Amino acid sequence: MNDLAPLLTPEGRALLDEVRDTDPAHELAVATRLRHDHPAELVSAALGQARLRQRAVAKFGAEDAARMFFTPNGVEQSTRRSVAAYRAERLRAAGVRSVADLCCGIGGDAIALARAGIRVLAVDRDPQTAAAARANAEALGLAGLIEVREADVTEVDTSGYDAVFVDPARRSSKRGRIFDPEAYSPPLSWAVSTALGASRAAALKIAPGIPHEAIPAEAEAEWISDGGDVKEAVLWFGTAPGTIRATLLPGPHTLVSRGLPDPEVRPVGRYLYEPDGAVVRSHLVAEVAETLDGGLIDPTIAYVTTDTLTPTPYATAYEITDRLPFNLKKLKALLREREVGVLTVKKRGSAVEPEELRRKALPKPHGTASVTVFLTRVAGAPTMLLGHPVR
């Protein structure tokens, strides 16, 4: 799909409605039938767009995805709606009324900002991406708040806007995922310079794996997870310089660094807590351990252990039933004895691949019981901890 324009015509829109729920397995038959009455290129574009819309449901929800227009990269790289809405609300609460959204992609963040009542200038240099963003603003009834401009973001004057949001490209068609912030497009240094010039606030979306030492002193750093999956990190300017926080969605639940020292190491207790990925990425395991009155099972492993159960949104609790040195033969025997049919394998500090262990330890389910196995280290020794999540 190289041109959205045909899909925006009455014929194109009608065709999109017709192929909306097409099963990929039946695409060939559908395409053959529709080409009797429509140009082949338009039929192919419509079916391609239908596939993209189906993929986009996970990020945008069924109602929005069914009306929006996507590019393949746009679906892959767009911000999840819940995360974009959370970020937009933070800007709105900070008094922001207008935002220059630089590297806007297909418009996911611009949509969230507009729905928060914020006027948006959405900029992208790719013609098809900008066209998709414009079509999406119109499709969702937000064209009055979103101006889409096809341009190089480094040449856009943002002085007339309260805030700047930058989502630089972190993938390359040749190299794939980019880890060096200065290899982002545009580079992180340019984005930071632009953010520092914003009149009220700024937010820069970055990869969750960014080294903490790469965070500018003027920025607040926030790691965001949604449903337990880490989605992104954001550098905020004009908020609370030097602050480190982890935010979990839905909620939101936000944990802020207090500069605590590393937790003490203690023997494995009755409960094991697995901190959310955003907590681990933001280096806030010590804050979680303190709220649980817990310690670490190993100085290098982000598992917290206690003898008491304390509800927390920042970690998942498991009741530990067994502690064994790593031994596949013993594990197989134990699973067989307990008639385990469902095995979940998690790891931290182990070179063993979870799927490989699951396949070898439970080649044939022996019953209906379920168990979770943690492959980890305890006081430096390879260890298997068996248990189950506390509901």
Side-chain angles (χ1 to χ4, degrees), residues 2 17 90 212 223 326 388:
N2 297 316
D17 289 339
R90 276 205 68 179
H212 280 229
W223 279 260
F326 181 81
H388 53 84

Side-chain angles (χ1 to χ4, degrees), residues 181-205:
E182 283 308 295
Y184 291 174
S185 180
L188 181 61
S189 57
W190 177 88
V192 169
S193 175
T194 301
L196 291 172
S199 62
R200 184 178 290 272
L204 311 182
K205 181 177 173 181

Side-chain angles (χ1 to χ4, degrees), residues 8-55:
L8 300 176
T9 64
E11 182 183 11
R13 291 179 184 275
L15 198 53
L16 281 172
D17 289 339
E18 187 169 352
V19 302
R20 173 177 175 174
D21 299 317
T22 299
D23 185 328
H26 301 151
E27 269 193 12
L28 181 58
V30 171
T32 301
R33 174 176 57 82
L34 292 175
R35 284 170 182 162
H36 290 301
D37 302 310
H38 304 280
E41 295 81 0
L42 182 59
V43 171
S44 296
L47 286 169
Q49 190 61 221
R51 287 195 301 271
L52 294 176
R53 287 177 168 183
Q54 290 167 4
R55 287 171 51 194

Side-chain angles (χ1 to χ4, degrees), residues 269-270 319-323 334 338 371-372 385-388:
R270 181 177 177 182
E319 185 170 10
I320 299 303
T321 57
D322 300 89
R323 171 182 169 180
L334 186 60
R338 297 185 182 174
V371 69
T372 299
L385 300 175
L386 279 65
H388 53 84

Side-chain angles (χ1 to χ4, degrees), residues 272 274 297 301-303 318 326 344-357 372-377 383-385:
L272 186 77
E274 181 184 28
I297 64 172
I301 303 297
Y303 284 138
Y318 295 82
F326 181 81
T344 301
V345 182
K346 294 176 172 286
K347 76 165 189 173
R348 276 186 184 159
S350 173
V352 179
E353 289 301 321
E355 182 55 33
E356 179 184 359
L357 181 80
T372 299
V373 176
F374 294 89
L375 305 177
T376 186
R377 292 194 304 272
T383 303
M384 298 184 297
L385 300 175

Side-chain angles (χ1 to χ4, degrees), residues 164-181:
V164 171
F165 172 66
V166 187
D167 182 6
R170 296 178 298 282
R171 290 180 181 272
S172 165
S173 59
K174 295 182 178 180
R175 293 182 293 168
R177 192 181 300 273
I178 297 172
F179 297 97
D180 178 8

